Amino acid sequence: MTLMVSEQGRGRAGLAVGAALVVAACAVPGGGVASAAPVAPSPQVAQAKAATVSPDRAAAAVSITEGEVGEVRPRGTITYPSVTSCLVVTVYLRDGGKVGGHASLFQVPGKYTSDEILPAIRRAVGHRPVKAVDVSGAVGAWNPSYFEKAIEHYTDGTPPEPTGDAKGIGDTVAKLLGQPRAKVTVQDVPDGDITR
């Protein structure tokens, strides 16, 4: 197994290698990936996943953990706690509000997978005008394809290794959010809480 890590992602190389090794260790004969039995979310969690926040009910401040999407009203604050191997996506609306999602490499039971985060953000944004999109976090631990097919969904082979491809991540986010590429910025940031 070969792992390519960009200079930006070198500080997270151990995490990226660990993620790749976990996936490789789970490989089953015939090229599949072993996984635990799916955890069915409770009806309340399933309903919460399907719901979007109406702009008039958005909070002034919200904490968005792994696998979640949320919204704040104009001049509100989003906190993404403990961002180590994750990427967070914040959509800045023209009215000053924000919609954000916390994409995790591996699914938290009952929460969105990495390939469900951007569609959920897009639904929450709806037809409202977008000013900018910020993608921040562990760029070096990610492959852009994780936004299109989550690691858990590779039952027919080993998922692609992390690339740290910031341009590719930006291209994929722009495409899946239906936004011009020029509005999307991608930045590798140190581990910890991210506030937007």
Side-chain angles (χ1 to χ4, degrees):
M1 176 184 304
T2 303
L3 178 67
M4 304 285 287
V5 179
S6 70
E7 282 301 315
Q8 282 186 314
R10 192 168 301 282
R12 294 189 174 102
L15 183 57
V17 170
L21 292 176
V22 166
V23 170
C26 292
V28 295
V33 175
S35 64
V39 177
S42 70
Q44 295 85 358
V45 171
Q47 185 178 10
K49 277 181 68 171
T52 57
V53 178
S54 68
D56 57 328
R57 294 186 57 204
V62 67
S63 177
I64 301 175
T65 62
E66 293 181 36
E68 294 181 344
V69 169
E71 180 172 351
V72 292
R73 62 179 169 244
R75 293 175 299 286
T77 302
I78 297 176
T79 300
Y80 303 98
S82 304
V83 179
T84 56
S85 63
C86 304
L87 286 178
V88 299
V89 179
T90 308
V91 176
Y92 293 84
L93 302 172
R94 272 205 206 127
D95 71 0
K98 298 174 206 140
V99 176
H102 193 146
S104 177
L105 277 176
F106 298 99
Q107 182 180 21
V108 174
K111 306 289 179 133
Y112 290 116
T113 56
S114 61
D115 57 358
E116 295 173 321
I117 286 287
L118 295 176
I121 292 172
R122 189 171 182 169
R123 285 190 303 273
V125 169
H127 297 292
R128 293 178 286 170
V130 171
K131 181 178 175 184
V133 179
D134 171 68
V135 182
S136 299
V139 172
W142 279 72
N143 184 305
S145 68
Y146 300 163
F147 279 120
E148 297 179 293
K149 185 173 182 180
I151 289 174
E152 296 85 3
H153 298 153
Y154 281 90
T155 57
D156 56 347
T158 303
E161 296 178 5
T163 61
D165 177 10
K167 181 187 178 310
I169 289 169
D171 292 347
T172 302
V173 169
K175 177 180 82 172
L176 294 176
L177 290 180
Q179 295 297 320
R181 177 60 177 91
K183 289 187 178 183
V184 180
T185 58
V186 179
Q187 57 182 326
D188 189 74
V189 299
D191 293 352
D193 295 352
I194 296 176
T195 302
R196 297 287 184 254

